[in-house]
Amino acid sequence: MGKMNNSNEVFARFLEDEDKQLQAIYPGLKIPWEKSKDSYWNNLERKIDKPTENRRFVRIISFSAAASILLIFSIFSIMKFSTTTVQTVYGAHQKVQLPDGSEVDLNAGSKISYHKFSWAKKREVCLNGEAFFNVKKGNKFSVKTTRGIVTVLGTSFNVYDRDDLYMVACITGRVRVNASNEEEVILSPNQKFNRHDDQVEILKNIDPVKELSWINNSFAFNAVPLSYVFKEIERQYNVKIEYRGNIQKSYSGVFPKSSIENVLDIVCRPFGYKYQTVKENEFLITNNNNF
């Protein structure tokens, strides 16, 4: 501000000197100033400052535009890459509704994830564990697991992917299974794809009620490893089961979900095994020779 006042005074003195010189040459002459000297200075000052104001305005506009672009990009990135995840703990089931109205029954100790904002363009779910899908008709619907991809348009099916066991059971419609290192397989209703380690089989005329027994709080096993049975019991009851000795056996059986003690007795009795309670929610399985 001090500098501006000094400049104003210099300009005023300049005008006075010019006026004196004209008076000396032409005595009695009055300069017909249309404006005051201060007005001339103010006009000149505005002209000097105008480019600076323009540059400041351009900088503001540029900053605003950059901020808007960044905001739009951030929102787009969030919408594109954000993932909705639903996970169940041991001892709990959960029903999940997808954005298009398709439904998922999620078994205990399982997880699904999907992109909500891009669902209309790509109906894709990632699964870890076991789930039953009832899919609304529409564009392609895919379920990705670590061991394969299941693709449908509108149908119902059950997918199991744990450890070294991968199973897909078609309940209604048709299901396409692309398992890792395997050719494409098309399943019709009541057909099932089984892969245990590197062995693959296609089962026909399966019982849908048994395949979905877990939804109705029942157990149904068909020639599965006994270790698989104990792990499933752990998930459904949120308990820990340890076993000693050789349990490399297969088990088949159907029974309702009741007390954990009753379930363990049903599974152990055919093999001559017994169970004992180590502490709350922990059990030990042994055979008669080990007691």
Side-chain angles (χ1 to χ4, degrees):
M1 181 65 67
K3 184 176 180 180
M4 185 179 296
N5 290 335
N6 293 337
S7 300
N8 197 357
E9 293 175 0
V10 171
F11 184 71
R13 286 198 298 270
F14 168 77
L15 293 179
E16 290 177 359
D17 291 342
E18 290 295 318
D19 193 31
K20 289 179 181 179
Q21 291 180 13
L22 289 173
Q23 288 291 337
I25 299 174
Y26 304 102
L29 178 65
K30 293 184 178 181
I31 306 299
W33 300 103
E34 296 179 358
K35 301 178 181 179
S36 67
K37 299 174 183 178
D38 289 340
S39 297
Y40 276 99
W41 170 248
N42 291 333
N43 288 338
L44 180 61
E45 190 176 63
R46 283 196 295 270
K47 291 180 180 180
I48 294 174
D49 289 342
K50 189 173 182 180
T52 302
E53 294 176 358
N54 289 340
R55 286 194 294 270
R56 186 181 300 112
F57 178 74
V58 171
R59 284 198 300 269
I60 293 173
I61 294 298
S62 300
F63 178 79
S64 300
S68 300
I69 293 173
L70 181 60
L71 178 61
I72 294 172
F73 179 78
S74 300
I75 294 174
F76 175 78
S77 299
I78 292 173
M79 293 178 63
K80 182 177 180 180
F81 298 109
S82 63
T83 301
T84 299
T85 300
V86 181
Q87 185 170 4
T88 55
V89 298
Y90 278 19
H93 298 176
Q94 185 171 347
K95 187 179 288 291
V96 181
Q97 188 171 67
L98 299 176
D100 64 343
S102 297
E103 293 183 342
V104 182
D105 284 281
L106 201 58
N107 203 348
S110 301
K111 180 175 69 174
I112 61 168
S113 59
Y114 60 92
H115 295 293
K116 178 179 179 180
F117 294 104
S118 60
W119 184 261
K121 294 180 59 179
K122 189 177 183 180
R123 300 195 299 173
E124 183 178 274
V125 174
C126 292
L127 168 68
N128 187 316
E130 182 175 19
F132 172 69
F133 295 85
N134 193 355
V135 179
K136 292 285 187 180
K137 290 185 177 181
N139 57 341
K140 185 175 71 173
F141 184 104
S142 300
V143 178
K144 297 180 66 177
T145 71
T146 57
R147 291 174 178 80
I149 301 176
V150 182
T151 306
V152 300
L153 294 179
T155 184
S156 59
F157 56 97
N158 195 76
V159 181
Y160 181 100
D161 183 21
R162 300 186 193 274
D163 300 326
D164 56 357
L165 190 58
Y166 181 55
M167 302 183 294
V168 179
C170 179
I171 308 302
T172 62
R174 302 183 74 195
V175 172
R176 182 174 67 201
V177 180
N178 292 92
S180 302
N181 301 323
E182 298 291 340
E183 294 183 359
E184 177 181 290
V185 177
I186 304 296
L187 299 178
S188 297
N190 301 331
Q191 291 185 345
K192 183 177 181 179
F193 174 93
N194 272 7
R195 181 179 180 182
H196 183 218
D197 291 331
D198 293 328
Q199 297 182 350
V200 176
E201 61 178 337
I202 307 298
L203 303 178
K204 298 181 180 180
N205 300 319
I206 62 172
D207 186 348
V209 176
K210 291 182 179 179
E211 291 298 326
L212 303 179
S213 60
W214 63 269
I215 296 179
N216 299 312
N217 291 317
S218 297
F219 293 95
F221 303 105
N222 182 25
V224 297
L226 194 56
S227 58
Y228 163 88
V229 176
F230 287 137
K231 287 182 179 179
E232 188 61 29
I233 294 174
E234 285 182 323
R235 280 187 288 268
Q236 298 303 324
Y237 288 91
N238 192 21
V239 298
K240 184 178 181 180
I241 301 175
E242 295 185 4
Y243 35 81
R244 294 175 183 170
N246 180 19
I247 62 167
Q248 301 302 317
K249 299 179 182 296
S250 295
Y251 179 83
S252 296
V254 179
F255 50 90
K257 186 177 180 180
S258 55
S259 68
I260 178 65
E261 292 80 9
N262 186 49
V263 167
L264 289 176
D265 185 60
I266 291 173
V267 174
C268 292
R269 185 179 300 177
F271 304 101
Y273 294 169
K274 290 187 177 181
Y275 73 89
Q276 61 179 340
T277 303
V278 178
K279 56 182 180 180
E280 186 179 5
N281 295 329
E282 289 191 18
F283 300 88
L284 175 65
I285 307 297
T286 60
N287 59 45
N288 288 334
N289 296 329
N290 290 332
F291 273 104

